[in-house]
Amino acid sequence: MAEKILFFILMMPIYGLVIWSYFYPEESLLFGKRWMYKEEPQLSNEVIRYTKFASMVVMIGLPIVVISFIFDIYFLRFTLVVIPLVIAFGALKIFTDEKDS
């Protein structure tokens, strides 16, 4: 039981980083890389949308996967198949969207 509590406590900073990445995608993408550019880099709308989408998938998928493995709920392990498919279809929609071009 103690390892489960410790695991949840250690997952909180990772979840916080994902939330920060969702609300501030430009800052999270350039974190630690600004020194490489003389001017402020301009990120495309596709990159920002993809970062927000990936953050949303992790915010939804990470708790489901973690809970399924910690509490041995075998039905939720089906999400290991579904989440990559959602990511693939979401990326396809993001990169084929023509409204920002």
Side-chain angles (χ1 to χ4, degrees), residues 76-92:
L76 292 179
R77 292 188 186 174
F78 179 66
T79 59
L80 293 175
V81 176
V82 174
I83 289 175
L85 291 174
V86 169
I87 292 171
F89 286 121
L92 184 67

Side-chain angles (χ1 to χ4, degrees), residues 2-16 62:
E3 62 270 358
K4 294 176 184 178
I5 294 171
L6 182 63
F7 187 72
F8 277 121
I9 290 171
L10 293 176
M11 289 299 292
M12 283 185 210
I14 294 172
Y15 204 73
L62 185 66

